[in-house]
Amino acid sequence: MSFIRVQGLKSLQGKIEIQGSKNAVLPVLAAALLHKGVVVLKNVPRIQDVFCMLEILKALGCRYWFEGHELTLDTRDLCSYEVPREEGRQMRSSVMLLGPLLGRLHRAWTCYPGGCVIGKRPIDLHLYALGRLGAEIQLEEEGIFVSGDALTGADVHLLFPSVGATENVLMAAAAARGTTRIFGAAREPEIQTLCHFLNALGAGIGGIGTGTLIVEGGRAFQDVEFTIPGDRIVAGTYLGAVMAAGGDICLAGVLADHMKETLDIVRKTGCQVEWTGNEIRALMKERPLPIQISTGPYPEFSTDLQSVMLSVAAVAQGDSQIQENVFEERFATGKELQKLGTRIIIEDRIAYVTGSYPLKGGEVCALDLRGGAALTVAGLAAEGESRVRGCCYICRGYEDICRDLSAVGARISMEEG
Ligand code: UD1
């Protein structure tokens, strides 16, 4: 079993090239199924969740070539509407295949989705939205079967701006006859990427970036070449690293425009940040100032960066308060952080953290993807050696966290044992 070894207390200097976005590429891969043809994607991250999605697409009849970060996907021979159980259970994003399979093959089956255990993660909004377009939904013991020979555009009102539900209905609506209006849609940059991809494919989506998306469905699709944007959550993780460990780093290949709320918090910790084009520079000379964060749907602070901010708060010069409003079980990482000397009290949805520096090296275990990255960040600010186990979670979303942090001088490596 592999683990990450970190020798802390080394300030970070240098540049990291940010990988393509996990949360953007997964729905784009699903959406490619709508089209019977060939799609070329650039800047695709080589992460476990992408490999898992590709296994699923292969089982459905697609072929692919993945060289470096360029992926060619041939969907002409798509023949199965059943997501294989084993892969489907491994990742939450398998549920996103319902919309495009329904659009292309008029039916879809998937087991109840897996993914990180960070909360209840129901899919009622996905099913409601597909139902609005005329899909028939059967909840079976092991999975969900949706069918519909004639999907028709409709008004869809999402009671919560769910990222996955918005993506699912966008894809089904692109194949449906007539106009769909999605009210209360999620506005995350990854939704915008999906809309741009669908439009490049031939769909007619308006209102991109707003909470009301309008889809003119039923248009013909075409082959397309498309570039996946940089991963704002990976970039946020490395900003967390420099805030916790100190230093001067540059992040290349990510849009600061998609990270305003994060950069706002980064600044409040005393970190100097500036950006030009698609590069962000962050300079951290002192221990971070305490932070107050409350997570929420975009443009609020991302729940995906909440755990990393716990690690920053752990070494801050005072008391921080972090409130989780999206996924109730993300605070499980807080208990692991205590093993590195973090002073943290969790009451319901709020974590109260009293900063102290340095943390103490120790052995911890990743419990989910972002939590694992947060523990690695905490190791950078800990005296002595830390070991982070449960690396399989981290590999789901980070191409090579050790390579990236080594590039800025961290003493970190992936080991077997
Ligand atoms: C996506 C991201 C994940 C991110 C999350 C919120 C991907 C692959 N994953 O996950 O990294 O943390 O957005 O930004 O893009 N909910 C319901 N019913 C539903 C769907 C969701 O109640 O049908 C609730 C969930 O339990 C959760 C909240 O809505 O409390 C947010 O979920 P959602 O936005 O759907 O997140 P995901 O798409 O699963």
Side-chain angles (χ1 to χ4, degrees), residues 21 32 42 77 87 110 155 172 203 205 230 240 300 341 369 395 399 401:
S21 162
K42 300 191 167 182
D77 294 332
E87 285 79 11
T110 183
D155 282 359
I205 301 172
E300 291 173 52
L369 161 59
C395 296
E399 222 177 55
I401 199 169

Side-chain angles (χ1 to χ4, degrees), residues 30-49:
L33 294 184
L34 285 166
H35 172 48
K36 187 174 185 176
V38 177
V39 163
V40 177
L41 301 176
K42 300 191 167 182
N43 201 32
V44 175
R46 298 184 69 88
I47 53 175
Q48 218 39 56
D49 272 11

Side-chain angles (χ1 to χ4, degrees), residues 22-24 26-27 49 92-93 96 118-127 160-165 167 186 188 190 232 296-298 302-304 325-328 330 370:
K22 167 178 102 62
N23 288 357
L26 293 173
D49 272 11
R92 166 90 180 164
S93 299
M96 234 128 59
I118 50 178
K120 289 192 208 83
R121 308 192 91 171
I123 54 166
D124 53 318
L125 297 170
H126 297 243
L127 301 180
F160 180 87
S162 154
V163 172
E167 290 168 342
E188 268 71 359
E190 294 76 24
R232 66 190 170 103
Y298 190 83
S302 170
T303 173
D304 283 332
N325 298 312
V326 184
F327 288 117
E328 62 275 16
R330 277 215 204 261
R370 305 303 171 188

